Each structure stands twice: as C-alpha cells, then as structure tokens.
Amino acid sequence: MPRKLMKGNYAAVYGAALAGCQAYYGYPITPASEIAESAAAIFPKLGRTFLQAESEVAAINMVYGAAGCGQRVMTGSSGPGISLKQEGLSYCAGSALPCVVVDIMRGGPGLGNIGPEQGDYNQVVKGGGHGNYKNIVLAPNSAQEMCDLTMLAFELADKYRNPVFVLTDGVIGQMMEAVELPEPVSEFPDKSEWAVRGTADSRHLINSIYLDHDDLEWWNEELARKYALVQKNEVRVEEYRMDDAVIAAIAYGSVSRVLRSAVDLARDRGVKLGMFRPVTLFPFPNEQVLALPDRGIKGILTVEMSNGQLVNDVNLALRGKMISDLHSRMGGNVPSALEIVEKVSELYGV
Amino acid sequence: MAQKTVLRKPRGFIDVYKHKPGAEKDRTHYCPGCGHGILHKLIAEALEDFDLVEKSIVISPVGCSVFAYYYFDTGNLQVAHGRAPAVASAVSRANPDSVVISYQGDGDLAAIGGNNILQAANRGENMVVFFVNNAIYGMTGGQMAPTTLEGQKTTTTPYGRNIRTDGYPIQMCELINQLTAPVYIARTSLHDMPNIRKTRAAVRKGIQNAMNRKGFSFVEVLSMCPSGWKMDAVQSQNWIKENMIPRFPLDTYRDNSDQPYTVERPVPIMDPEEVRKILGFGSLKTANLRQNPDAVLRKVALRVSGFGGQGIMSTGIALANVGMEYGYNVSWLPSYGPEMRGGTANCSVKVQEETIGAAECTEPNMVIAMNQPSLEKFEKILVPDGVLMYNSTLIDIEPTRKDIKVYPVPITGMADELGDTRVQSMVSVGAFAAVTGMFDPGEIKSLMPVLFAGKSDKVMKLNEDAVQMGYDYVKDNFS
Ligand SMILES: Cc1ncc(C[n+]2csc(CCOP(=O)(O)OP(=O)(O)O)c2C)c(N)n1
Ligand code: SF4
Ligand SMILES: [Mg+2]
C-alpha cells in the first residue's frame, strides 16, 4: 500500500476527507491547530466546506446545523475548546445528530499548558454536557489510527446517530508517521428520513425539546437503549504480549505506545508484563477487563496522563475482583518506559 | 347578498400544529397582544406568496419563539440559546439553494449570541435574520434584556435599568451597520397597522434577498410583550410608540439588495476516483524494506536539536521520510509550542523494522547537536556506545563523555560553502547516512521529488549536492 508521512492531526483530516466529510468547522488551539489548517488546505480542493468559526461554541453549533442537514461534518479542538463545545454536544446528542469531534488533549485545568495530557477523559467519555447522554469515544495511538479511526468515527456516528469523539493527546496529534491511505468511502447512509435539505420532502424537525415529562423520559430511555447497543457491539481493544503476562498494564492513546516499549523492556528484564489497551473508551471494555484476573493476571497497573480518571473505569469494570494500581503523570510530562517498568517492579516485587 | 369572507392560514403555516403538545392544535402559544404571532404571520404569508414554503428552513431560537417550529411548514431546526446564526451559517452552506431564516429574540441575539450574529453578518452568510426586539426576556418571565430601556423595570432591574451599572440599550441595527458585508438592514415596528405594513415590506425584502442569494439581511422588529411589560395590548402598542421608538429609530439603515453580487458555494466532490487524485494517491510509492548489511545502527532513536531556524524539524522529517521510503517503520515527534519559541528546538526520530512504541527518544542512541546548548543537553541522555554527531562549525567545546562515538562535522560550514545555509538539513541527512550506514546517498537523492515536492530543479540539485557533501565528509574523515 502507498504510504505518506504525516502528522496525526493531518491524518485525521485525511480520514475525514476519505470518509466523505463535507464540512469542517473549527477554531484554532494548540496542539490541535493542524487539524483546522489541513482542513483549510484540503477541503476547498474537494469542494467541501472549511470555515474558521468565531469560537468553539459557534463551531459546534455549525456542526449541529450541518449534521441536521445530513452532512458528514467534523470539528476539532483541545481541552479549553472542548469545554466550550459541551452545550452544543448535548444538543447534538439530544437531537440524535451524527457528528465527529477530534480532541487533541493538552495540559489543564484552566489554560494549563500545551503539553500532552489526558485530563479530558471524564468530560469526553462521560458525556461532559448536560443531560443523560454519552459520546462514543475512539482513542487512536498512531497517525495511521488517526486516519482509520476518524473514518470509523463517521461510520459509527451515522450508524448510531450520535456524536463520536476521536480522543487523543498532543503527542499523537503532533507526531509524524507513515500513513497508508485507505480507499475513499463511496456509499453513504440514507438520511432522507430526518435530514433537513430545503426541499419539499425534507421538511423535518431537528429538535431536542420534549415538554411532556413522559415523552422526555421515553426519549432518555431510547438513548439508554442505544448506548447499551453500542456497549454490546462496538468494544475494541488491543493487546500486546498478554498471552503469558502476569502483570497487565492498561493505557490508551500515546501512553499505550510508551507501554509497548515498557513491555519489551520489562521482558528483557524477565518481567512478564503485558499491555491491555482500550481502543474504545465508550464503550469501555468492561468484560475484557473483568476477565483479566481469570487469565492469570496477578497485578494491574493503569498508566495515564491524568489524575486517576481512566483507573476509575478500570476499577468499576473489575467489580472488586482485583484493584488496579495507578501510575499517573500530568502537566505535559509523559511517562517513560523505564519509569513504568520500575513502578511495576516496585509494586509487584517482580 | 351578504359578503362572505373566507379566512384561512397562510400556507407558510402547518395546517394543524401537530408538533404542539396538548389539545389546542389550532392556535399559537403566544400571549394575547404579543408581537411574535404577527411577525410569524408576515413571514408565513411571504413564503406562500414567493412560493418558498418548501425551500425554506426556519431556525427556532431559545426564547418565546422557541416553538416557532410548531407553526412553519418548512424544514425546522431548534437550536441552542443565541446560536441560531452559527447554525444557520452551516445550514445555508449545506443547502445553498434554500432560504434560511434565523428568528431570534433580543436576549438570544444581542446578549448570549452577540458575537454569533456579528460574525455571521460579517461573513455575509446567505440568510435573513428576524430580530424580535421586545426589550425584555419574555420566556423566562421578564428579566432585563440588552435592549431594555433606561429606567425600565424588569424582574432583574426592579428599580429600573441603571445605565451606570447595566449599560445602555444596545442598538443592533446601528451596530451591524458598521459591518461591510450585510446587504439589507432595517428596523420596523408592529405597534400599529401602518408600521405592520412597513414590517411586511421589510420581511419580504429580507426573504427575497435570501432567495436571490444576496447574502445577509437583518430585520429588527420592535414587538409588544404585554406579559413581560405587565400591560394590556393597547398600552403595549403605545409604549412602543412613546418609549421604544425614540431609542430605536425606525429606518432602513442599508439596502444594497440591487447589487449584482450573489453568494456562491462549492459543490462537494465525492467521486472516489476524483478524491484519490486530489489527495495525491497517485504520487505515492509502495516501499519494500531495503537494508544495508553493513549498517552500524539498525534501530535508530535519534534526537536532532539546535536553534530554531537551523532546520532541526526538517532534518528529522527528511530522515523519517527516507526511512519510510526504505520500508522502515518511522516516527517523528517535535518539541512543540513555547519550547520552540525559546530559541532551541528538538525532535525525536525513530527508524526501525519493528513496530514503534514510544515516539519520544528519552534514551537516544544517536544525537545530532546543531548548537552548544543542544550538545550539553542531549549528550547526557545518550545510551552508552551511542553516536553523537555535532555541528563543529558552531560548537567549539568537546563532548565530555568517553563511552560514546563522536563525529564533529562542520554542517553549517558546508552549507555555507554551497551558498545557502538552509541546506544544512540535507548535509546532516547525508552525514547521517554515512555514520549509520543505513542509506546510500544515491537513493536519498532519488527521493528529492518527495522531500522537496513542488520546489524547483535548482533547489533539488542544491540539496542533492548537500547530501553528497555531508556523506563524503564523514566517509573521508572517519573511516
Ligand atoms: C444557555 C442558556 N441560558 C439561559 C437559558 C434560559 N433562557 C431561556 S429563554 C431566555 C431569554 C430569552 O429572551 P429573548 O431572547 O429576548 O426572547 P423572548 O422570550 O423575549 O422572545 C433565557 C435566558 C437557556 N435556555 N439557555
Ligand atoms: S411573554 Fe411576551 S414575548 Fe412571550 S409570548 Fe408572552 S407576550 Fe409574547
Ligand atoms: Mg425578548
């Protein structure tokens, strides 16, 4: 397959273009700006819409509008901008509008810094806006996956009529790797049942208001049923050297890349460490995590660039069968393979 | 014979308000004497008269007109508070042939959505905005709006609006008239029949402009809110005449509807063959791993570091590109943001057969140091037996470690000799090839069209010479 060297941020836009994304609305923020920049470079050549919105608030509402018209549409940002998008995301979920949001996480809270972090986990995975909704969340760990999972994000967004996040951090957004470009998508789902196109047959209503309490309860239950279906069908994980592992380390995104190095380093030292990587954060791989103790795993270490947000989900999944330890780095600091291996030795005496 | 008058709703309205909950599906939810209903009717009539009902899309805001979608027999989107112009922008771009109507109250448009309306106006989005100025927040029970008059009592200005603490009533027409893009800006009122007729004309002009792709039209309508103002219908009409109009003069502030300009929007290219071509699939090569059996390093974990402007990033990218073309797995990770502005920049490059884990080279086996601070910083983290290549043109200290291989190479000097300091990157690449034995210069040169896509033959030739010069220097001096 032909390959092209590109940043993760670019790869996401290539993925979007290949998935038939017709419009990009966004506002610049480091370390996500190359998403807007590459969309500005690529989309007009494809006759697609690129617009630099006046704010992230405007951008997500433009996404709402485009999605309501049946377009495949994307926006991208980082922590502070994602915070601003939360109301709009809740509207998208409440109105069952498919859309794709890329979050290239940086250090927080507040203005924090522009180093890589994973502190947006809760606000993205738990559905950070108001009301009972969830985002589907994919967590790429390479430029290739930025392309592939962005394409998948569009597919899932349409399949479930729900916002889908591509959640990663500054390392994956900024790094360049070889990307094999997949074939462009040529068949798109029929949205004529609900999309507003300014034609006689498309005079539909895009709306999240249900004044009647019973109606709104019904709608919330519908959403819950949808999320149960997503949980059942869409879990994706990656494992590395787990077959004979005694200690499992869990991480997503760029940390899982470090973990891969850590696993090799540990094995060189005779420590049977394996990597367990959730590729989907919602749906979280609950069953797979719960099964770890039965696979001969004696200790679980969650490694994250946040203050214990991922480990909470790991421990919920474990249901008390075992308790995961936490190795956490923050503020833009990336854990090294060596420090992970040393932590494993210290915790589990191996 | 008695005259028979047939009353019917304009076709712009849905016959039975099916989206409206409850029993009363034939009347609106607005209070008696409210201006919203009158404006709705003027819009619905215009849509019928211009045969636009089927082509139109109405954006319902948050405010008393949140339920505008109960009534209009058009496409409808209900949107977040204040964001109607942002949503409408995308809707209009998605459906360039449709007539997009953003219908907003004063809280919605002038307070929470103040920036959104200005920016949509400034972009000249093809839409018509109907702005209902009733000087109050009707829906939430009569709080102060940005348009509330000086001294006006509301639930949040119980002693009257104080301009010293609450500011002045905002005049949106005047504000938007400061922008170049809008085609039509007018303020009218609904307080009596002559003014309703003028409003009717303005509504029709705005809608026609959207239909004819003229761009952005803004119609502000002074509108009664008897409930919010705690008055009856007649008192409300008088209150507009006596109190609102002096502050909000009725006028056509701009009318460029006759200008020849029309808004054009692109047609998305979706054909896979076309998409592949435009994204440059054609020029991509398929690489097979090619290895030099004499290579000193087989698995490169490299740090390149130096001043911003020394081509640090491009050296790394070039090496990653060459590695990729040779069929290796590669990664390139820059230091990004303020770190770059501080003067020094560095990047991590990995080139290896195996899948790459961490992209950052925390323990590099090779360092290219282009300036002294870089040498001092990265010499320390080299693994034992690692390779340190440094720019001897600019660095006059010696590395202190004895357990590493050292290659002083006058990188800047050679580039200057070639007449262009910018070719330092490719001198480094050539020297790298010689030090590691991973690549040969001929193949790197054959990759110039990839590395310098779109650049002139002269630039490519110069960089080919740079590669050769760096390569030869290492071969001649360190064999
Ligand atoms: C984000 C958000 N903030 C506040 C509200 C509450 N709210 C609903 S309507 C409204 C004021 C609307 O006033 P205006 O736009 O003047 O419309 P009117 O009812 O007067 O026609 C407010 C503050 C909301 N729905 N959303
Ligand atoms: S509160 Fe005011 S604006 Fe709202 S419906 Fe009643 S009269 Fe109209
Ligand atoms: Mg109002």
Side-chain angles (χ1 to χ4, degrees), chain A residues 82 86 93-94 143 154 169 176 196 225 230 234 276:
Chain A
I82 299 298
Q86 294 293 6
F154 280 98
D169 59 73
M176 276 184 152
V196 176
R225 276 188 279 278
V230 172
E234 306 300 344
F276 181 92

Side-chain angles (χ1 to χ4, degrees), chain A:
Chain A
M1 275 293 266
R3 310 196 295 172
K4 213 173 179 149
L5 187 72
M6 62 175 90
K7 281 191 174 191
N9 282 341
Y10 274 73
V13 173
Y14 271 82
L18 292 168
C21 175
Q22 291 184 318
Y24 182 91
Y25 295 100
Y27 189 85
I29 182 168
T30 310
S33 292
E34 293 86 357
I35 300 179
E37 288 166 2
S38 51
I42 293 168
F43 273 38
K45 287 196 209 162
L46 293 165
R48 321 269 178 96
T49 299
F50 168 82
L51 180 65
Q52 181 167 329
E54 60 268 30
S55 67
E56 291 85 351
V57 176
I60 192 64
N61 282 283
M62 290 167 179
V63 164
Y64 179 92
C69 298
Q71 288 192 321
R72 284 194 161 178
V73 57
M74 181 162 100
T75 185
S77 191
S78 185
I82 299 298
S83 299
L84 284 180
K85 288 182 198 291
Q86 294 293 6
E87 184 200 27
L89 282 161
S90 171
Y91 272 73
C92 288
S95 304
L97 292 182
C99 61
V100 173
V101 184
V102 186
D103 179 3
I104 310 294
M105 290 181 281
R106 57 186 252 170
L111 205 47
N113 67 27
I114 58 169
E117 225 198 46
Q118 296 182 319
D120 291 357
Y121 183 92
N122 280 347
Q123 77 154 335
V124 169
V125 175
K126 306 298 174 184
H130 56 287
N132 305 300
Y133 78 95
K134 278 178 175 295
N135 304 302
I136 297 171
V137 186
L138 310 178
N141 77 353
S142 66
Q144 183 67 54
E145 284 193 356
M146 287 294 277
C147 178
D148 297 348
L149 293 186
T150 300
M151 292 183 79
L152 177 64
F154 280 98
E155 194 184 312
L156 295 178
D158 281 341
K159 183 169 168 191
Y160 295 101
R161 287 187 61 185
N162 202 74
V164 179
F165 263 85
V166 176
L167 179 71
T168 194
D169 59 73
V171 171
I172 304 299
Q174 292 298 322
M175 77 191 274
M176 276 184 152
E177 290 184 300
V179 176
E180 286 180 7
L181 293 181
E183 286 302 310
V185 173
S186 54
E187 277 176 41
F188 301 98
D190 177 16
K191 301 181 181 177
S192 60
E193 285 291 305
W194 55 269
V196 176
R197 301 306 318 262
T199 58
D201 301 336
S202 71
R203 286 175 292 162
H204 304 298
L205 168 63
I206 304 296
N207 181 30
S208 57
I209 304 177
Y210 295 82
L211 283 187
D212 183 271
H213 295 193
D214 290 338
D215 288 350
L216 186 54
E217 186 169 59
W218 164 82
W219 176 235
N220 273 299
E221 285 165 359
E222 281 291 294
L223 290 177
R225 276 188 279 278
K226 171 161 89 179
Y227 300 135
L229 209 60
V230 172
Q231 182 71 51
K232 184 163 156 259
N233 294 336
E234 306 300 344
V235 170
R236 287 164 172 82
V237 298
E238 188 203 354
E239 295 187 351
Y240 180 58
R241 300 180 89 163
M242 280 293 288
D243 285 348
D244 60 342
V246 178
I247 309 296
I250 302 184
Y252 72 98
S254 72
V255 185
S256 66
R257 296 286 295 267
V258 181
L259 209 48
R260 181 180 262 275
S261 298
V263 166
D264 289 340
L265 183 63
R267 295 286 176 149
D268 289 347
R269 298 179 172 194
V271 175
K272 287 194 168 172
L273 181 65
M275 174 188 87
F276 181 92
R277 170 198 167 212
V279 176
T280 51
L281 297 174
F282 176 73
F284 194 78
N286 293 320
E287 285 173 24
Q288 291 79 350
V289 170
L290 182 63
L292 289 177
D294 298 332
R295 292 170 64 185
I297 294 297
K298 301 281 179 262
I300 299 178
L301 176 65
T302 300
V303 188
E304 58 181 287
M305 296 194 294
S306 47
N307 63 344
Q309 301 186 28
L310 174 65
V311 78
N312 276 348
D313 275 349
V314 171
N315 279 327
L316 269 179
L318 283 168
R319 298 196 209 163
K321 239 186 185 178
M322 192 178 262
I323 292 177
S324 171
D325 293 294
L326 168 67
H327 183 62
S328 149
R329 296 300 305 269
M330 286 174 281
N333 287 323
V334 178
S336 71
L338 184 64
E339 85 185 52
I340 294 172
V341 173
E342 281 170 356
K343 182 87 176 196
V344 166
S345 298
E346 175 198 316
L347 281 170
Y348 309 110
V350 287

Side-chain angles (χ1 to χ4, degrees), chain B residues 35-202:
Chain B
H36 278 300
I38 305 172
L39 182 58
H40 278 28
K41 192 163 164 215
L42 297 177
I43 295 169
E45 276 174 3
L47 295 182
E48 171 176 357
D49 293 348
F50 300 140
D51 198 17
L52 290 174
V53 179
E54 301 186 334
K55 278 182 85 172
S56 297
I57 301 172
V58 174
I59 314 293
S60 306
V62 173
C64 280
S65 46
V66 64
F67 303 119
Y69 64 83
Y70 287 171
Y71 312 118
F72 291 104
D73 199 11
T74 56
N76 285 286
L77 288 92
Q78 196 292 314
V79 306
H81 196 20
R83 313 306 167 202
V87 177
S89 298
V91 169
S92 153
R93 284 161 187 258
N95 303 315
D97 291 325
S98 64
V99 169
V100 178
I101 298 172
S102 180
Y103 189 109
Q104 302 180 257
D106 41 38
D108 194 83
L109 182 141
I112 193 167
N115 191 28
N116 300 118
I117 189 65
L118 290 180
Q119 301 288 341
N122 192 48
R123 288 190 299 263
E125 298 287 351
N126 190 47
M127 61 169 78
V128 50
V129 178
F130 295 117
F131 169 43
V132 176
N133 178 353
N134 56 12
I136 204 145
Y137 284 16
M139 163 145 268
T140 39
Q143 297 83 10
M144 182 185 74
T147 45
T148 292
L149 298 181
E150 183 179 351
Q152 185 184 337
K153 286 189 176 156
T154 70
T155 59
T156 50
T157 54
Y159 312 110
R161 180 176 188 158
N162 177 351
I163 53 161
R164 297 281 163 233
T165 53
D166 307 324
Y168 293 85
I170 292 184
Q171 296 158 304
M172 287 308 298
C173 280
E174 290 83 341
L175 204 55
I176 287 174
N177 201 21
Q178 300 304 307
L179 304 172
T180 311
V183 281
Y184 180 64
I185 304 167
R187 183 184 288 122
T188 64
S189 172
L190 296 173
H191 70 281
D192 61 16
M193 275 318 290
N195 280 289
I196 290 175
R197 270 196 289 277
K198 284 185 192 162
T199 303
R200 180 175 184 269

